[in-house]
């Protein structure tokens, strides 16, 4: 079992920055692929960024060049640095930990990000 707790969300003006954190407990995240997803009102949850256990990263086209995912296995924490935020980035952001063998798929409770002037 993995427990995930997101933090760092809030209200920010367009063009601003936020750093989200996802603190894990119960298991070492180095064993997991980690991801950040988001869900805006009335929309489906979508992948924002992912990082493998080996450190390879992948980003949705709509955040490339603006967001950076990273992991600190020693702190058992994953981060999402978000720069040049836009109103359309407003959503609840969720952290995910996924493993194939053995199977595991865990979600945090989410943190609200609101981009507005």
């Amino acid at each position: 079992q993995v427990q995930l707790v997101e933090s760092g969300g809030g209200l920010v003006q367009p063009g601003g920055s936020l750093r989200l954190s996802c603190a894990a407990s119960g298991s070492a995240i180095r064993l997991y692929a980690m991801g950040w997803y988001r869900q805006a009102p009335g929309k489906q949850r979508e992948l924002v960024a992912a990082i493998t256990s080996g450190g390879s990263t992948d980003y949705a086209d709509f955040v490339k060049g603006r967001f950076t995912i990273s992991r600190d296995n020693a702190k058992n924490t994953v981060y999402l640095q978000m720069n040049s935020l836009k109103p359309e980035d407003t959503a609840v952001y969720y952290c995910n930990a996924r493993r194939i063998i053995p199977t595991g798929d865990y979600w945090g409770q989410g943190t609200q990000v609101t981009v507005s002037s």
Side-chain angles (χ1 to χ4, degrees):
Q1 285 283 347
V2 179
Q3 293 78 46
L4 303 172
V5 178
E6 302 97 334
S7 62
L11 173 64
V12 64
Q13 292 186 343
S17 298
L18 284 175
R19 187 173 86 152
L20 305 183
S21 300
C22 172
S25 60
S27 186
I29 63 165
R30 60 181 176 82
L31 303 173
Y32 293 80
M34 304 296 296
W36 285 97
Y37 290 72
R38 72 185 187 187
Q39 188 167 19
K43 295 187 177 181
Q44 289 188 332
R45 190 172 297 188
E46 58 186 358
L47 176 67
V48 176
I51 185 166
T52 67
S53 57
S56 297
T57 58
D58 191 26
Y59 297 91
D61 286 343
F62 51 78
V63 302
K64 282 183 180 177
R66 301 189 297 125
F67 291 11
T68 302
I69 188 171
S70 61
R71 62 193 300 157
D72 186 334
N73 291 336
K75 294 183 178 180
N76 229 27
T77 300
V78 176
Y79 304 97
L80 184 68
Q81 178 66 45
M82 306 187 295
N83 299 327
S84 301
L85 282 161
K86 304 175 181 180
E88 51 263 44
D89 294 318
T90 295
V92 178
Y93 284 71
Y94 297 90
C95 180
N96 173 259
R98 190 164 298 167
R99 186 177 179 183
I100 296 175
I101 300 174
T103 299
D105 190 7
Y106 304 98
W107 293 89
Q109 83 290 348
T111 185
Q112 175 71 46
V113 171
T114 302
V115 185
S116 176
S117 55

